[in-house]
Amino acid sequence: MSKEYAQDYSLQELLVAASAKEIMDGDVVFAGVGVPTLGAMVAKLTHAPNVIMAMESGSIGPQPYRVILGIGDNACVENSICTTSLWRLFSDQQRGYFDVGMIGGAQVDKYGNLNSTVIFGEGDYYTPASRLPGSGGANDIASSAGRTILTLPLQKRRFLEKVDYITSPGYIDGYDAREKHGLPGGGPAAIITNKCVFRFDPTTKEAYLYSVHPGVTVEEVKAEVSWELKIADDVKVTEPPTLEEVRITRILDAGQIYTGSGLKGLTFEKYVQMLETSQEILHQLF
Amino acid sequence: MSKEYAQDYSLQELLVAASAKEIMDGDVVFAGVGVPTLGAMVAKLTHAPNVIMAMESGSIGPQPYRVILGIGDNACVENSICTTSLWRLFSDQQRGYFDVGMIGGAQVDKYGNLNSTVIFGEGDYYTPASRLPGSGGANDIASSAGRTILTLPLQKRRFLEKVDYITSPGYIDGYDAREKHGLPGGGPAAIITNKCVFRFDPTTKEAYLYSVHPGVTVEEVKAEVSWELKIADDVKVTEPPTLEEVRITRILDAGQIYTGSGLKGLTFEKYVQMLETSQEILHQLF
Amino acid sequence: MININPNDKKKPDKRMTLTDAIKTYVPDGSMISFSGMGGAQCVAPTYEIIRQGIKKLTFVGDSPCESGDMLIGAGAIKKAEIAWCSYAVAGLGYNYRRAIEQKIPHEIELVEYSNYTIGLRFLAGAINVPYIPTKSLMGSDLLKYNEKIKVEEDPYNGEKVALIPAVNPDIAIVHVSRADKRGNAQMFGFSSNAENLARAAKHTIVTCEEIVSTEEIQRHPNLTIIPEYAVDAVVEVPFASHPWNFPYAYAYDMPFHTEQLAAFKTREGFEKWLEDYCFAPGSWEGYLEKVGYGRLEKLRQLERRFTKAKY
Amino acid sequence: MININPNDKKKPDKRMTLTDAIKTYVPDGSMISFSGMGGAQCVAPTYEIIRQGIKKLTFVGDSPCESGDMLIGAGAIKKAEIAWCSYAVAGLGYNYRRAIEQKIPHEIELVEYSNYTIGLRFLAGAINVPYIPTKSLMGSDLLKYNEKIKVEEDPYNGEKVALIPAVNPDIAIVHVSRADKRGNAQMFGFSSNAENLARAAKHTIVTCEEIVSTEEIQRHPNLTIIPEYAVDAVVEVPFASHPWNFPYAYAYDMPFHTEQLAAFKTREGFEKWLEDYCFAPGSWEGYLEKVGYGRLEKLRQLERRFTKAKY
């Protein structure tokens, strides 16, 4: 299959495609809602037909004919191969059955440690400048998934030498720290941002710049990272989305809930229509 | 409801009725196959309509139209309210949901400790005179059921000062030993034998003779017990089975699998017929 | 603290109204937990608890939405032992943030876990053991701020494990697809932590979309996730998860939720919402009336296009 | 010891013959476990293992009947970690007794647990933790003769608990109602320890009464007790539990079992049984042929009078 790249795509569509490319055929993917789920679905509908999505609520392997609106949305149950309980799903992850986990956060450091709990600001954990939702399942994914893909926007206030609070461990303080702490999962494989992709040094486990998105310069990236960033000898340009990936993304998220401004001004009638239509169109994809 | 006692009944039928009488309405009963299951069914069909039987395989609350031929027989699934897994069922018992457990064994001592593992004879655990099946779920029932009912034949070689091996703890060495060992269940409430019923002193937790079956003397019982048996001040005569209890027992075990010699010479044809007939007859009971 | 008839679990008919069930089993100061994850949330019980003005609850849960954020906003919660509090796609946990950042309406005590380790707390509580070990949380700061989690070397292989303490809430509220009047509860689709919540708690209210006969339960015993012996009360509450979805029953009402969350952004907006949707309607039936049964029916029809329980 | 393709769990089609599955996944010296409790036993795989002359197995299980007693009698087992070994109503575990009492056919090493604590070993193995605490076994002599169980005071409340070590067998054999070719396994009725066995083991063979399409699995996802990612091989084996019952499928063949157990009373009787029912028929199909398909069909019809899966 020769790859035809898209010329016309949004940044969100590139992120979906980049996430999809991290997934291999046969992977079990612990997918959060939004770009990760879209990425997993795009992977399943292109190069990885045997992907199994695991949803936190306890649904395994859904094949919905509509966009997934939450980790416990009914879409997660639709045509799934197993619906079970939360503790069982996470236990399966701890047992090593989940190949990829996709998580985001507000801050990340050079060892891929993520913070989605609190921004201290002038305060501390107990009197924070900003309270975030917390770990949810992110810590467990970071602990036990075979590998993790981190996604967050590239901004200097987010890419820090040291995060305020480690919600989800990456490589902690580098080298074999994960093994020392007894973490069963493999740790972060990549950080995907709106400007570039980072990967990790196999020995030191420090993040380095692996590729820049089309049109982005290395200097632009360095300017948004708080630590002395290491750069790959041969920095690549991030592979753009293929025509097929963009086409499928637009079908999956026809209402632009995740890839546009679909949430704004969404009336009940438009919403019902969006779902009803998606069912018809998605039947063509499966 | 005035009680009409049966005149014509077998010893097995008396044991079934005596077991049934230990069960209160609303009890959840962990029932082994044979006399215990029959007793629980008789209780459910007479004074305790809200009894729930829990079967070791993971079936809860069966209402079969046939005799139950094993803890994992399909009869345990028939009209049950929940079929689940073994570990869940036993966990529910450890949580305290099971009011009564019924267990047997080869040896018992004065504190109600049961042995169903090995008879040492001249040997020991590793080279026993006689190897028995082992604990199965008996230890877990003895540990966690609200109360236990022990059933075994009254014989001097079985009623010992000290059993060779404690498979299922009763009151261990008496008094508050169960609490000291952290056992959550209440311990033995009674030992039902072919000749009498023993109960336990509330303080010392030693077994004493509570009642003798019709026609049995206290001396006969003492002769079959290896320790200096304590006798209730007012030894009763065991309540005989009622007409209704005997009638129902005979319907439930029409093939005399448990209450007679039904297993002998059971051809395939007779067996199929026994089950088919039981379905018709039992429909009258429920 | 709670003085409830211990024999309630033995009743052959446990049906109650939502109002009575909450009044009976949720006194001030209770430790409480709810089922649901993403969808299938216990929204109706949350509104009822707010209406009854119950206070000083200790809340234990994985990732609460309404049950955590709204109860915090309503000033019902003293302490929260949770992994996450927000609303996913439709908006953030504004009440939760206000409580932590600005102590509005008042300060709350917070103890953090992850979703899995909250799940293990319920599992440990359900099987009546003091803790269960795990490999989650290692190397994270959750360990630093939660002194109840102990890290040990396991006595078998010397592996590092975190011990997660059991929890036995005073009361669990579990919303399921259907139940009989005795409390045998069945769920179509994912079941979050419902099966362990119900067993871990000292008392359990099962709310269900539909009460069915025991015969119907007996037809599909594999679907029973909670047997009657773990249940104190059964309440039929259709659409109890609105605006959330409920598997095989009704679709997510995202436009409604977006509007709700927009209101929650300010304290005034939240208070007005409570007045309009919780207090003024006076009951869950009143809430549904206000949402509109036509809209609810549309959500039910919408879901049927995609999934229909085939049991 | 086992050198099996670790990617087998990723195969989209895992169908194999019983002979090939045993040949591939059960080398001499494996640690092995089977599903079933009372009914739903793994009889067909037991016969196949005996036919292939596999030796030196370590057997871990709760209350095995054929899989424990017959494998011991056939000299296939070096060590047994179990709670019970017998046959319930139809007879006793004569091979087990002969092995312990008289070392016939040879000595076996025995480590004893209870049914619940064997269940907890599989649960611990399935969730990948080194042990799970329990309140069973306290005050009993099982603790005296099993040094792997450690009694501790729990670090939270000082309660006494027994730590039950996880087990991760090399191979689990699980017999279920139906599965698709990817390995999604569904069970009607009780499931013994199947769900945890399959996850605890390094490799898992799912045998099933019937292979169905993935679409059929998707119609009833609540019935899936083992998802495909935990499965290496799928084998369709109708009547695999005969003479035992299988829920919603066929009734217990008690007259057959009584005759079988009568034969097992003597070593000679057991050896003749193996010759007649295991070796001479050459395969499970041969065994069923010898039992008689008419008889098997009668057992199926008999069960349908009482129960029929309504899923």
Side-chain angles (χ1 to χ4, degrees):
Chain A
M1 195 162 58
S2 84
K3 279 184 188 171
E4 271 197 84
Y5 290 112
Q7 299 296 321
D8 166 38
Y9 58 87
S10 70
L11 179 59
Q12 283 302 99
E13 287 164 349
L14 179 137
L15 292 178
V16 169
S19 300
K21 288 186 182 77
E22 296 292 327
I23 295 170
M24 294 189 288
D25 196 21
D27 275 349
V28 181
V29 183
F30 200 127
V33 167
V35 169
T37 330
L38 283 174
M41 288 291 290
V42 167
K44 191 173 174 66
L45 290 161
T46 55
H47 65 280
N50 295 299
V51 154
I52 297 171
M53 282 194 290
M55 311 302 300
E56 213 159 320
S57 52
S59 294
I60 300 167
Q63 294 189 27
Y65 290 101
R66 53 181 154 170
V67 64
I68 294 175
L69 296 172
I71 49 151
D73 191 18
N74 291 347
C76 305
V77 171
E78 204 182 327
N79 296 314
S80 64
I81 53 172
C82 178
T83 46
T84 181
S85 50
L86 186 146
W87 76 269
R88 174 61 80 184
L89 188 99
F90 276 101
S91 294
D92 281 0
Q93 178 171 256
Q94 187 166 263
R95 182 70 181 98
Y97 289 127
F98 295 0
D99 303 285
V100 192
M102 293 174 145
I103 46 181
Q107 301 178 336
V108 71
D109 68 20
K110 63 179 172 183
Y111 293 116
N113 300 302
L114 274 177
N115 175 13
S116 58
T117 299
V118 282
I119 308 295
F120 288 174
E122 303 293 301
D124 60 12
Y125 174 76
Y126 300 99
T127 54
S130 184
R131 175 67 217 190
L132 311 169
S135 161
N139 174 279
D140 310 302
I141 295 172
S143 298
S144 292
R147 62 188 189 278
T148 51
I149 310 299
L150 319 185
T151 47
L152 64 177
L154 186 70
Q155 291 175 328
K156 195 150 193 161
R157 65 186 177 88
R158 293 174 182 274
F159 279 70
L160 302 170
E161 178 79 29
K162 198 167 159 21
V163 293
D164 291 352
Y165 179 104
I166 300 182
T167 312
S168 304
Y171 294 105
I172 311 171
D173 44 13
Y175 298 92
D176 61 346
R178 284 186 67 90
E179 289 74 15
K180 278 191 194 148
H181 282 85
L183 289 167
I191 311 175
I192 301 179
T193 77
N194 51 326
K195 291 192 186 292
C196 62
V197 175
F198 301 89
R199 295 196 184 275
F200 294 84
D201 182 275
T203 307
T204 66
K205 305 295 164 61
E206 187 178 323
Y208 66 88
L209 181 61
Y210 171 80
S211 72
V212 289
H213 296 348
V216 176
T217 67
V218 170
E219 288 314 306
E220 273 180 79
V221 171
K222 286 177 82 168
E224 294 293 352
V225 172
S226 303
W227 69 86
E228 190 61 44
L229 179 67
K230 296 207 165 63
I231 315 287
D233 294 340
D234 53 341
V235 177
K236 297 179 174 51
V237 173
T238 308
E239 198 180 348
T242 64
L243 279 174
E244 183 68 358
E245 285 163 348
V246 171
R247 186 180 77 87
I248 289 173
T249 304
R250 289 178 187 175
I251 294 174
L252 288 170
D253 190 24
Q256 298 211 304
I257 301 291
Y258 301 116
T259 57
S261 55
L263 264 177
K264 279 188 193 133
L266 186 69
T267 64
F268 188 65
E269 290 67 30
K270 273 203 244 173
Y271 171 71
V272 171
Q273 201 195 346
M274 174 188 90
L275 290 179
E276 288 183 350
T277 311
S278 78
Q279 192 183 33
E280 291 162 29
I281 300 175
L282 277 170
H283 265 286
Q284 302 160 12
L285 282 185
F286 286 103
Chain B
M1 196 162 57
S2 82
K3 280 184 185 171
E4 274 198 81
Y5 290 114
Q7 300 295 324
D8 166 37
Y9 58 87
S10 71
L11 179 59
Q12 284 301 101
E13 288 164 349
L14 179 137
L15 292 177
V16 169
S19 301
K21 287 185 182 78
E22 295 292 326
I23 294 170
M24 293 187 288
D25 195 22
D27 275 349
V28 181
V29 182
F30 201 128
V33 166
V35 169
T37 331
L38 283 175
M41 289 290 291
V42 167
K44 192 173 174 67
L45 290 161
T46 55
H47 66 280
N50 295 298
V51 153
I52 297 171
M53 281 194 291
M55 311 302 300
E56 212 159 319
S57 53
S59 295
I60 300 166
Q63 294 188 27
Y65 292 100
R66 52 181 154 171
V67 64
I68 295 175
L69 295 172
I71 49 152
D73 190 19
N74 291 347
C76 305
V77 170
E78 204 182 328
N79 296 313
S80 64
I81 53 172
C82 177
T83 46
T84 182
S85 50
L86 185 146
W87 75 270
R88 174 62 81 184
L89 189 99
F90 276 101
S91 294
D92 281 0
Q93 178 171 256
Q94 186 166 263
R95 183 71 181 97
Y97 290 127
F98 295 179
D99 304 286
V100 192
M102 293 173 145
I103 46 182
Q107 300 177 336
V108 70
D109 67 21
K110 63 179 172 183
Y111 294 117
N113 302 301
L114 274 178
N115 175 13
S116 58
T117 301
V118 281
I119 308 296
F120 289 175
E122 303 293 300
D124 60 12
Y125 175 76
Y126 300 99
T127 53
S130 183
R131 176 67 217 189
L132 311 169
S135 162
N139 173 279
D140 310 304
I141 295 171
S143 298
S144 292
R147 63 189 189 278
T148 50
I149 310 299
L150 319 185
T151 47
L152 64 177
L154 186 70
Q155 291 175 328
K156 196 152 192 160
R157 64 185 177 89
R158 293 173 182 274
F159 280 69
L160 302 172
E161 178 78 28
K162 198 168 158 23
V163 293
D164 290 352
Y165 179 103
I166 300 182
T167 311
S168 304
Y171 294 105
I172 311 170
D173 43 13
Y175 298 93
D176 60 347
R178 284 185 68 88
E179 290 73 17
K180 278 192 195 147
H181 281 85
L183 289 168
I191 310 174
I192 302 179
T193 77
N194 51 325
K195 292 194 185 291
C196 62
V197 175
F198 301 90
R199 295 196 185 273
F200 294 84
D201 182 274
T203 305
T204 66
K205 307 293 165 62
E206 188 178 322
Y208 66 88
L209 181 61
Y210 170 80
S211 71
V212 289
H213 296 346
V216 176
T217 67
V218 170
E219 288 315 306
E220 273 181 79
V221 171
K222 286 176 83 167
E224 294 293 352
V225 172
S226 304
W227 69 86
E228 190 61 42
L229 179 68
K230 297 207 167 60
I231 315 287
D233 293 341
D234 54 340
V235 176
K236 297 178 173 53
V237 174
T238 308
E239 198 180 347
T242 64
L243 278 175
E244 183 68 359
E245 285 163 349
V246 171
R247 185 179 79 87
I248 290 173
T249 304
R250 289 178 187 175
I251 294 175
L252 287 170
D253 189 25
Q256 298 211 302
I257 301 292
Y258 301 117
T259 55
S261 54
L263 264 175
K264 278 187 194 135
L266 187 69
T267 64
F268 188 66
E269 290 66 31
K270 274 203 243 173
Y271 171 72
V272 170
Q273 200 195 346
M274 173 187 92
L275 290 178
E276 289 182 350
T277 311
S278 77
Q279 192 183 32
E280 290 161 31
I281 299 175
L282 277 169
H283 265 285
Q284 302 160 11
L285 280 186
F286 286 104
Chain C
M1 181 178 49
I2 294 197
N3 189 11
I4 298 161
N5 185 348
N7 286 326
D8 283 356
K9 291 192 175 67
K10 300 287 189 193
K11 288 188 299 190
D13 187 348
K14 297 168 183 166
R15 285 174 294 182
M16 296 182 90
T17 65
L18 183 58
T19 305
D20 286 349
I22 300 292
K23 205 166 279 176
T24 306
Y25 293 103
V26 193
D28 284 352
S30 305
M31 182 187 278
I32 193 166
S33 294
F34 298 86
S35 71
M37 163 60 68
Q41 304 260 336
C42 292
V43 184
T46 298
Y47 276 68
E48 182 59 33
I49 288 170
I50 294 174
R51 255 193 306 274
Q52 293 192 16
I54 295 161
K55 300 290 177 202
K56 298 204 167 103
L57 298 172
T58 293
F59 182 102
V60 184
D62 37 61
S63 289
C65 302
E66 274 78 0
S67 60
D69 184 69
M70 285 187 69
L71 286 175
I72 287 171
I77 289 182
K78 187 183 67 177
K79 183 176 181 182
E81 308 185 8
I82 58 174
W84 189 86
C85 188
S86 189
Y87 289 88
V89 181
L92 297 170
Y94 302 108
N95 286 299
Y96 178 57
R97 295 185 69 153
R98 278 192 290 268
I100 306 274
E101 295 171 8
Q102 307 166 51
K103 306 192 198 314
I104 295 173
H106 57 64
E107 198 171 2
I108 62 165
E109 193 185 336
L110 178 67
V111 185
E112 290 191 77
Y113 291 84
S114 64
N115 276 349
Y116 184 40
T117 51
I118 287 284
L120 291 179
R121 295 192 73 189
F122 292 131
L123 177 62
I127 76 174
N128 196 22
V129 297
Y131 63 87
I132 285 183
T134 182
K135 293 175 179 173
S136 271
L137 306 184
M138 300 305 200
S140 81
D141 284 341
L142 281 94
L143 293 175
K144 200 190 298 187
Y145 295 97
N146 184 334
E147 58 184 25
K148 294 279 285 198
I149 301 162
K150 298 176 197 292
V151 174
E152 289 197 346
E153 293 200 353
D154 93 72
Y156 292 98
N157 318 312
E159 291 175 38
K160 272 195 182 169
V161 287
L163 307 190
I164 307 303
V167 66
N168 295 104
D170 294 309
I171 179 78
I173 302 183
V174 165
H175 187 58
V176 299
S177 302
R178 60 188 197 172
D180 67 5
K181 64 184 180 184
R182 309 183 69 103
N184 294 296
Q186 302 194 325
M187 187 74 191
F188 307 142
F190 61 82
S191 51
S192 65
N193 285 310
E195 70 200 70
N196 289 327
L197 267 181
R199 290 164 161 95
K202 298 185 183 79
H203 298 281
T204 296
I205 300 173
V206 165
T207 64
C208 59
E209 289 291 323
E210 191 184 1
I211 289 183
V212 296
S213 68
T214 297
E215 290 68 39
E216 183 59 30
I217 297 292
Q218 289 168 321
R219 256 177 227 124
H220 309 95
N222 277 105
L223 295 176
T224 305
I225 59 169
I226 306 163
E228 56 184 88
Y229 53 65
V231 175
D232 294 76
V234 177
V235 187
E236 189 177 59
V237 192
F239 293 108
S241 298
H242 182 271
W244 292 98
N245 58 292
F246 195 87
Y248 300 100
Y250 41 89
Y252 181 36
D253 193 346
M254 195 166 74
F256 183 97
H257 217 201
T258 310
E259 201 187 316
Q260 173 187 330
L261 271 294
F264 286 13
K265 271 185 186 156
T266 64
R267 179 68 193 170
E268 297 66 38
F270 174 69
E271 283 172 353
K272 182 160 178 354
W273 183 275
L274 281 193
E275 188 47 42
D276 292 351
Y277 283 90
C278 180
F279 295 115
S283 68
W284 188 247
E285 291 72 23
Y287 167 97
L288 295 179
E289 200 76 59
K290 185 167 166 62
V291 170
Y293 278 103
R295 183 182 183 114
L296 295 168
E297 181 54 27
K298 189 75 207 164
L299 291 167
R300 199 189 282 286
Q301 284 170 12
L302 185 57
E303 189 52 37
R304 289 204 162 220
R305 293 176 70 106
F306 294 93
T307 63
K308 192 167 177 306
K310 290 177 191 72
Y311 300 101
Chain D
M1 179 179 49
I2 295 198
N3 188 13
I4 298 161
N5 186 347
N7 285 326
D8 283 355
K9 291 192 176 65
K10 300 288 189 192
K11 287 188 299 190
D13 187 348
K14 297 167 182 165
R15 285 173 295 181
M16 294 181 91
T17 65
L18 183 59
T19 305
D20 286 349
I22 300 293
K23 205 166 279 175
T24 306
Y25 295 103
V26 193
D28 282 353
S30 305
M31 181 187 279
I32 193 165
S33 294
F34 298 86
S35 71
M37 163 61 66
Q41 305 260 336
C42 293
V43 184
T46 298
Y47 277 68
E48 182 59 31
I49 289 169
I50 294 173
R51 253 193 307 274
Q52 294 193 15
I54 296 161
K55 300 289 177 203
K56 298 203 168 100
L57 298 172
T58 294
F59 182 102
V60 184
D62 36 62
S63 289
C65 302
E66 273 78 359
S67 60
D69 184 69
M70 285 186 70
L71 286 175
I72 287 172
I77 290 182
K78 188 183 67 180
K79 183 176 181 182
E81 307 184 9
I82 57 174
W84 189 86
C85 188
S86 190
Y87 290 88
V89 181
L92 296 170
Y94 302 108
N95 287 298
Y96 178 57
R97 295 184 71 153
R98 277 191 291 267
I100 306 275
E101 295 171 8
Q102 307 166 52
K103 306 190 197 315
I104 294 173
H106 57 65
E107 197 170 4
I108 62 165
E109 193 185 337
L110 178 67
V111 185
E112 289 189 79
Y113 290 84
S114 64
N115 276 349
Y116 183 40
T117 51
I118 286 284
L120 291 179
R121 296 193 72 189
F122 292 132
L123 177 62
I127 77 174
N128 195 23
V129 297
Y131 64 88
I132 286 183
T134 183
K135 292 174 179 175
S136 271
L137 305 186
M138 299 306 199
S140 81
D141 284 341
L142 281 94
L143 293 176
K144 200 190 299 188
Y145 294 97
N146 183 334
E147 58 184 25
K148 295 279 284 200
I149 301 162
K150 298 175 198 291
V151 174
E152 290 198 345
E153 293 200 351
D154 94 72
Y156 292 98
N157 318 313
E159 291 174 39
K160 272 197 184 167
V161 288
L163 307 189
I164 307 303
V167 66
N168 295 105
D170 295 309
I171 180 77
I173 302 181
V174 166
H175 188 58
V176 299
S177 302
R178 60 189 197 170
D180 67 5
K181 63 183 180 185
R182 309 183 68 102
N184 295 296
Q186 303 194 325
M187 188 74 192
F188 308 142
F190 61 83
S191 52
S192 65
N193 285 309
E195 70 200 69
N196 289 327
L197 267 181
R199 289 164 163 96
K202 299 184 183 79
H203 298 281
T204 296
I205 300 172
V206 165
T207 63
C208 59
E209 289 291 323
E210 190 185 3
I211 289 183
V212 296
S213 68
T214 298
E215 290 68 39
E216 184 58 30
I217 296 292
Q218 290 168 320
R219 258 177 226 123
H220 308 95
N222 278 106
L223 296 176
T224 305
I225 59 169
I226 305 164
E228 56 184 88
Y229 53 66
V231 176
D232 294 75
V234 177
V235 187
E236 190 177 60
V237 193
F239 293 108
S241 298
H242 183 270
W244 292 98
N245 58 293
F246 195 87
Y248 300 100
Y250 40 89
Y252 182 36
D253 193 345
M254 196 167 71
F256 184 96
H257 217 201
T258 310
E259 200 186 318
Q260 173 187 329
L261 271 293
F264 285 15
K265 272 184 188 158
T266 65
R267 178 70 193 169
E268 298 65 38
F270 174 69
E271 284 172 355
K272 182 161 181 349
W273 183 275
L274 280 193
E275 187 48 42
D276 293 350
Y277 282 91
C278 179
F279 296 114
S283 67
W284 188 248
E285 291 72 22
Y287 168 96
L288 296 180
E289 201 76 59
K290 184 166 168 63
V291 171
Y293 279 101
R295 183 180 183 114
L296 296 168
E297 181 54 28
K298 189 73 208 165
L299 292 166
R300 198 188 283 287
Q301 284 169 13
L302 185 57
E303 188 53 36
R304 289 203 162 219
R305 292 176 69 106
F306 293 93
T307 64
K308 190 168 178 305
K310 291 179 191 71
Y311 299 101

